Amino acid sequence: MDIPTYKIALIVGAGEGLSASLARLFAREKIRVALAARKTEKLGALCNETGARAFACDAANAEEVERLFGLVERELGTPDLVVYNASARARGPLVDLVSADVQQSIAVSAFGGFLVAQQAAQRMLPNKHGAILFTGASASVKGYAQSAPFAMGKFALRGLAQSMARELAPQGIHVAHFVIDGGIRSAARQEAQDRPDSMLDPDAIAASYWSVLQQPRSAWTWEMELRPWVENF
């Protein structure tokens, strides 16, 4: 039973929280890490901690995504593990939404996922090895009131992941989508003292991502749902 191994990880949409937890976990596993975000200034401390390299990129821009992969290849090597964490929201009553904001939300949440996945797959297929992971949300399966743009983007991202898994798994590429069904704990967002573990711990989420990455190909999953034990669903 062969357990996949990975050498170079690229996390797109990097920041604090889950991305940071993933970067730390990958670094502990001796995987070189590249972090991509629109603004890289906030990534300095994480890069110092993990040895990661930061790259500026607008995930919804095809030219910038292609350039990102070229830079990562030249400076670190070809990524064989890619995580898409980027998303954008536009909130409000349907009739009040600004079309440009909706377009941007869908572009970042879904179209950017396609752009990144396409560049990743082009590089992984010749070796018949690699993993592409997508971070979803409650909105991936439930459209909430006054949150139509986010649901549109996350539904599309889930569809992309499902289609990719069916196409690429037989060619050696593990594609997985994670439904994060609940709030993620952070320094600025803590659960109430009388509700312990009512939010998702980002380190615990990262551990679940890693467990999927360690699956032998005879038993791959394409989707995992994660939620706190007290979360309604």
Side-chain angles (χ1 to χ4, degrees), residues 8-12 14 32-36 52-55 68 72 76 79:
I8 299 171
L10 169 60
I11 302 172
V12 178
R32 301 187 72 185
V33 179
L35 304 172
R53 297 289 300 275
F55 300 85
L68 167 66
V72 172
L76 294 178

Side-chain angles (χ1 to χ4, degrees), residues 8 16 30 43 76 107 124 149 157 164 188 196 229:
I8 299 171
E16 299 177 353
K30 311 303 181 185
L43 300 175
L76 294 178
M124 295 175 183
L157 187 73
M164 284 178 53
W229 65 301

Side-chain angles (χ1 to χ4, degrees), residues 8-9 32 34 69-80 123:
I8 299 171
R32 301 187 72 185
F69 274 81
L71 288 172
V72 172
E73 280 187 306
R74 287 195 292 272
E75 297 190 22
L76 294 178
T78 303
D80 55 0
R123 291 160 171 80

Side-chain angles (χ1 to χ4, degrees), residues 146-167:
Q146 300 195 13
S147 189
F150 192 54
M152 292 163 70
K154 286 299 186 181
F155 264 67
L157 187 73
R158 184 172 185 256
L160 170 68
Q162 188 176 93
S163 179
M164 284 178 53
R166 290 191 165 114
E167 177 182 347

Side-chain angles (χ1 to χ4, degrees), residues 113-222:
F114 159 75
L115 293 175
V116 169
Q118 185 180 55
Q119 292 292 325
Q122 287 173 355
R123 291 160 171 80
M124 295 175 183
L125 282 170
N127 297 320
K128 297 187 180 298
H129 165 72
I132 303 172
L133 309 183
F134 297 96
T135 299
S138 306
S140 301
V141 293
K142 295 182 288 188
Y144 292 92
Q146 300 195 13
S147 189
F150 192 54
M152 292 163 70
K154 286 299 186 181
F155 264 67
L157 187 73
R158 184 172 185 256
L160 170 68
Q162 188 176 93
S163 179
M164 284 178 53
R166 290 191 165 114
E167 177 182 347
L168 300 181
Q171 301 180 74
I173 312 302
H174 192 177
V175 178
H177 175 260
F178 296 81
V179 178
I180 310 302
D181 189 14
I184 299 177
R185 184 189 303 153
S186 68
R189 192 181 186 193
Q190 297 284 331
E191 63 245 312
Q193 292 185 353
D194 61 347
R195 299 193 72 212
D197 293 328
S198 59
M199 300 184 76
L200 290 122
D201 184 320
D203 289 342
I205 301 173
S208 291
Y209 278 47
W210 185 249
S211 71
V212 169
L213 288 169
Q214 295 301 288
Q215 291 174 338
R217 65 182 181 180
S218 66
W220 275 355
T221 184
W222 85 269

